[in-house]
Amino acid sequence: MEGVTASAPGKCILFGEHAVVYGQPAVAVAIEQRISVRIEVLGSDSESWRIDGMQFNSNRHPHVQALRNRMWQPKQGAPNLSIQITGDIPPASGLGSSAALSVAASAALRTARGRWFNTQEGQQPTDWAEGYSSQLEPNGIYSLEDKEFDLFRKGPSGKAVRYVNGKEVLDLDESALLGHAVEAAAQGGRASPMDASTCAHGGIVLLSDKVEPDEEYLYSRHLKMPDGDRVWHLHCIELPPAHQEVFLVIGNTGIHAPTAHQVAKVALALEENPERKKEIETIGLIARRGIQSLKKGDYEAVGRAMSENQIMLQGLGVSCPELETLIRAAAPTSYGAKLTGAGGGGCMVALTSNPKQTSEAIELAGGRTLISRFGNVGLTVDDAGNLPLWATEQNTASQ
Ligand code: PMV
């Protein structure tokens, strides 16, 4: 059957959660576990989209709804779609399942509809006539209103002259930008770009409030949040030496603690005692040291930095007894362990060369485990046949 399948990995945070909210650096790695999204066009007699065989409900799938508004508007004649979502990232556990879904779905939609470029025949198609990019003003892409968007976004030369579809129109920046925008829309305007960018680019991603001169710069993201404007600078970190020999063992407490609640808890603690800002700065220092150790492949030092980071997170009040139990269980067989994500439940991560032993210890202590190496690929289009599934009227009229 005609359709497109795209997939993206989940993520876990090695250093810097919570402190990143206050401008300190944070590092996330793409994990082996992925979400895969397949889209197929439904017959013209279908009345609505379908997800996993059920009628599409925008309240249940706000990310998909936000992407539909931005990329596949019914009012422009886009056909109804059937979407199948599969994968092995546990939902709502801080491992980036919703970002992976959003990034993979945006890639599937882009691949399925293709893209117009400004570039003349025979030249490299780098200049877009439609789409979203950190090079172009995102014009309301982050808007919280559930409005339909103008998809025909002219590039600097203003002419759409060449149409391309299929895997080659995939753009990691666009998918990460869309992924972040729809995450922010679904979370009431608050979302850091860490999840979407790590799911899109894979590997290891560093976020900072400044451009880091020693790292490979990707782009910057700007977001108006309810409590002020925010800017993040994103970078890729090269895979460390001997990374095949170490493993991340993730232990899930099974407890759900909403990120917003945890972030608010830290904000309150800082408001009550501004002196505690020092703790946030200490997490930043630990993260910077951890990043240097990671780049050298000194995993013992990386593990130590993770455990120190955990002590600071505990002090901030975002750990919980269940996380502590799993972290303690992992300690004897790992270089270091800490919570990953917002805390209060969710997951911990241990860095180890003995994944089996560490995993068994965490399971015995009551956690559900996942094992992942470093160096996982980001977003991929895995299957694309008989394209485009849809191209807009405007787009087919070359100017
Ligand atoms: O639980 P997650 O994966 O959404 O991570 C939250 C990370 C925080 O630093 C606590 C919040 C943020 O926006 O960066």
Side-chain angles (χ1 to χ4, degrees):
M1 199 173 181
E2 295 170 12
V4 177
T5 308
S7 64
K11 68 99 203 11
C12 86
I13 301 173
L14 273 194
F15 303 110
E17 51 273 269
H18 288 290
V20 71
V21 174
Y22 302 90
Q24 300 296 334
V27 177
V29 296
I31 56 175
E32 281 171 38
Q33 290 69 27
R34 299 177 76 83
I35 295 279
S36 177
V37 176
R38 169 130 187 113
I39 58 171
E40 292 171 358
V41 171
L42 288 168
S44 52
D45 55 340
S46 69
E47 280 171 14
S48 74
W49 282 29
R50 297 191 80 75
I51 292 202
D52 293 332
M54 317 239 282
Q55 189 162 332
F56 173 64
N57 175 344
S58 59
N59 295 328
R60 280 198 60 203
H61 295 283
H63 300 82
V64 176
Q65 171 65 17
L67 282 172
R68 180 159 85 158
N69 286 341
R70 287 160 177 77
M71 301 187 81
W72 203 268
Q73 296 172 4
K75 88 162 185 218
Q76 291 193 320
N80 284 331
L81 294 176
S82 159
I83 303 186
Q84 282 107 48
I85 301 166
T86 50
D88 52 1
I89 309 174
S93 54
L95 297 179
S97 66
S98 65
L101 164 67
S102 305
V103 163
S106 79
L109 293 173
R110 169 58 65 203
T111 306
R113 62 169 287 172
R115 195 197 298 283
W116 279 87
F117 291 88
N118 300 316
T119 318
Q120 302 295 338
E121 285 295 336
Q123 288 177 10
Q124 276 296 95
T126 50
D127 185 8
W128 297 356
E130 63 173 321
Y132 301 94
S133 158
S134 33
Q135 308 299 312
L136 299 171
E137 262 309 296
N139 285 342
I141 187 180
Y142 283 105
S143 169
L144 290 182
E145 288 164 43
D146 201 13
K147 64 178 184 190
E148 291 178 334
F149 285 79
D150 173 21
L151 289 164
F152 198 60
R153 208 170 282 281
K154 289 194 167 65
S157 73
K159 284 212 188 309
V161 294
R162 189 174 163 211
Y163 177 72
V164 182
N165 68 45
K167 293 185 187 184
E168 66 185 284
V169 299
L170 180 68
D171 184 276
L172 297 182
D173 175 16
E174 179 182 55
S175 289
L177 181 60
L178 280 163
H180 182 213
V182 305
E183 283 248 291
Q187 292 173 26
R190 282 174 209 272
S192 93
M194 179 152 47
D195 284 22
S197 289
T198 310
C199 298
H201 295 273
I204 309 176
V205 169
L206 164 68
L207 239 91
S208 178
D209 65 336
K210 56 177 191 268
V211 174
E212 301 285 343
D214 297 336
E215 313 301 342
E216 188 193 327
Y217 173 72
L218 286 171
Y219 40 68
S220 302
R221 294 276 189 249
H222 306 254
L223 180 61
K224 276 191 199 315
M225 300 235 279
D227 44 8
D229 291 5
R230 300 279 302 280
V231 181
W232 295 273
H233 304 289
L234 290 106
H235 312 73
C236 270
I237 297 183
E238 246 178 68
L239 282 174
H243 64 87
Q244 303 89 337
E245 288 157 34
V246 284
F247 298 80
L248 298 167
V249 179
I250 295 163
N252 193 344
T253 60
I255 298 168
H256 179 54
T259 298
H261 177 85
Q262 294 293 104
V263 171
K265 198 168 165 182
V266 175
L268 184 67
L270 294 178
E271 208 180 291
E272 283 174 359
N273 184 358
E275 273 290 295
R276 299 195 70 180
K277 199 83 202 266
K278 287 206 184 87
E279 294 171 43
I280 297 289
E281 285 159 10
T282 304
I283 293 181
L285 290 174
I286 294 169
R288 286 197 186 279
R289 190 153 37 78
I291 294 161
Q292 292 315 317
S293 306
L294 183 65
K295 285 168 67 173
K296 282 189 250 161
D298 182 350
Y299 295 107
E300 284 187 16
V302 175
R304 273 199 303 277
M306 288 169 68
S307 298
E308 287 168 26
N309 193 160
Q310 172 61 20
I311 292 168
M312 299 309 298
L313 289 166
Q314 212 178 347
L316 279 177
V318 292
S319 193
C320 68
E322 293 82 355
L323 279 167
E324 295 298 328
T325 302
L326 302 189
I327 290 167
R328 257 198 316 276
T333 59
S334 65
Y335 296 120
K338 61 182 272 296
L339 66 84
T340 178
C347 294
M348 51 71 70
V349 57
L351 183 73
T352 177
S353 321
N354 305 302
K356 196 165 173 288
Q357 279 170 283
T358 306
S359 167
E360 278 169 8
I362 294 172
E363 295 253 350
L364 269 177
R368 298 286 305 273
T369 57
L370 297 171
I371 300 177
S372 176
R373 286 179 203 259
F374 284 84
N376 297 295
V377 288
L379 172 62
T380 53
V381 173
D382 306 318
D383 181 39
N386 271 334
L387 299 178
L389 299 188
W390 169 62
T392 56
E393 278 289 314
Q394 295 106 303
N395 294 345
T396 46
S398 144
Q399 302 165 28

